[in-house]
Amino acid sequence: MAKQKNKTEEQYLGEIESSIVGLQYYEAEIKSGETVNLEREPENSHDRNAIRAENQDFDKVGHLPRKTVAWLAPLIDSGKIRVDGVVPKTEDHEIHHSCPLDLKIFLCK
């Protein structure tokens, strides 16, 4: 008899290079190698597709770029995908307006 799959299983689809923008507007910091908490902000007055980025202390550090959230937010909202974020490990340097972010995409079944 075939094993029935759990509907909450996820399949790793891949990784997308992106960034966190708007860091200059927040006092919280983000570090190289840090896992980033990503939260939808559908009530954001600037962009209803907004996805905010938070550091490991859940302090707001910025947002994902508008071009990225335009296609990503509807997929998240529909429950089709889940996204994790990690700041790639790089040489220490001062981050001003944006920083790189690797997005790991999972298909929700």
Side-chain angles (χ1 to χ4, degrees):
M1 185 148 111
K3 185 177 177 182
Q4 195 172 24
K5 290 187 176 184
N6 184 343
K7 289 188 177 194
T8 60
E9 286 182 20
E10 296 177 342
Q11 178 184 356
Y12 178 68
L13 294 177
E15 198 168 290
I16 298 170
E17 292 180 4
S18 187
S19 62
I20 302 173
V21 297
L23 281 93
Q24 72 272 24
Y25 299 112
Y26 305 99
E27 292 187 27
E29 296 181 1
I30 194 86
K31 298 176 187 142
S32 174
E34 188 169 349
T35 299
V36 176
N37 184 47
L38 300 171
E39 289 290 330
R40 280 282 289 118
E41 279 189 340
E43 303 301 321
N44 185 302
S45 61
H46 299 287
D47 183 357
R48 66 180 183 176
N49 288 320
I51 298 175
R52 81 173 169 265
E54 301 171 339
N55 64 17
Q56 292 179 342
D57 294 327
F58 298 98
D59 295 323
K60 192 174 187 177
V61 295
H63 289 86
L64 297 187
R66 194 175 291 254
K67 286 183 179 181
T68 302
V69 300
W71 63 268
L72 196 58
L75 293 171
I76 292 170
D77 292 347
S78 70
K80 293 181 180 178
I81 64 168
R82 181 177 66 81
V83 182
D84 290 341
V86 177
V87 177
K89 290 188 178 187
T90 59
E91 292 182 28
D92 289 333
H93 61 283
E94 198 170 333
I95 299 172
H96 293 286
H97 300 289
S98 69
C99 76
L101 183 67
D102 292 335
L103 299 175
K104 297 176 189 281
I105 312 294
F106 297 87
L107 177 65
C108 299
K109 296 182 179 182

